[in-house]
Structures are given as C-alpha cells and as structure tokens.
Amino acid sequence: MSVVAFSVTRFTPADVAEWNSIAMPKLDRGLWASVTRRSDRERDELLVHFPNLDRPIFRFERDRHGVYRLLFNDRKGWYEIGRGDTAEECLSVWKGRMPRTPRAPAPAVQPAEAETAL
C-alpha cells in the first residue's frame, strides 16, 4: 500500500468545513453571489463574488508554506485582513464575537455623600 502525501498548498477537508460554516449562510441569504476555487502549485484559493460585481471581493488562501490568509479587494488591490496557522484562526475575523457580560451599574452617589467623600 502506498501513501500519497497531501500537498501543503491544498485546503484540507477540515479547512473546507470551516469555510463552509461561514460561507453557506452568506450564500443562502444572498449576501454572496458565488464562491469559486482556483489552485496552482503556489496556493489554493477560494474567491468570493458579490452580486452585481464583476470581480472577487474576498480571497481565502493557503500558500505553499501552509499559511492561511484572508484578503479583501477594494478595487486598488488585495489587502490582508486575516492570517493564521489554521483556517479557523484565519477566518476568526468573520466569527461572531462572544456576548459581553453586562457589568453591574456602579451605585449612585448621593449629593450629601459626595461632599463627605472629598
């Protein structure tokens, strides 16, 4: 039995699952028009297209060093907005933030108490 090495430039099934957890809801709601995949010897990329735009807006990639990047295209070029050693770490900019625990309000100081506190 021979084992074929998995290319470090390719997304793993876990990477694709992490991507899908973010992409599918956006596609279902119509926020994204499509996602296309492009791969070569240097990187594996997922390109996000918005409705009514002819160019990709976001690019998620894994390069030949195994580094993940998330980039944004603003018509002037690509700008990195996320990076990580894992897909989850890189895509964390799109994950919902944990709700903050509300702090108990500070007790109100009565005017008479304010004078004696000084």
Side-chain angles (χ1 to χ4, degrees), residues 14-88:
D15 297 340
V16 173
E18 183 68 25
W19 171 261
N20 285 339
S21 74
I22 293 167
M24 294 310 292
K26 294 178 185 310
L27 288 163
D28 290 343
R29 291 193 324 254
L31 299 174
W32 293 357
S34 66
V35 176
T36 58
R37 189 171 187 171
R38 184 171 60 190
S39 300
D40 60 27
R41 294 175 61 200
E42 296 296 314
R43 68 186 45 87
D44 198 4
E45 301 174 329
L46 294 168
L47 302 163
V48 175
H49 300 267
F50 278 12
N52 303 318
L53 289 177
D54 61 347
R55 63 182 167 78
I57 300 298
F58 293 109
R59 182 174 82 208
F60 175 53
E61 68 179 31
R62 184 176 185 187
D63 69 16
R64 63 187 169 113
H65 301 290
V67 177
Y68 297 85
R69 287 182 186 81
L70 181 61
L71 300 110
F72 171 73
N73 183 346
D74 73 348
R75 293 188 198 179
K76 295 177 185 173
W78 290 101
Y79 298 93
E80 188 173 290
I81 60 172
R83 176 189 284 242
D85 293 328
T86 66
E88 182 179 16

Side-chain angles (χ1 to χ4, degrees), residues 40 91 101:
D40 60 27
L91 296 171
T101 305

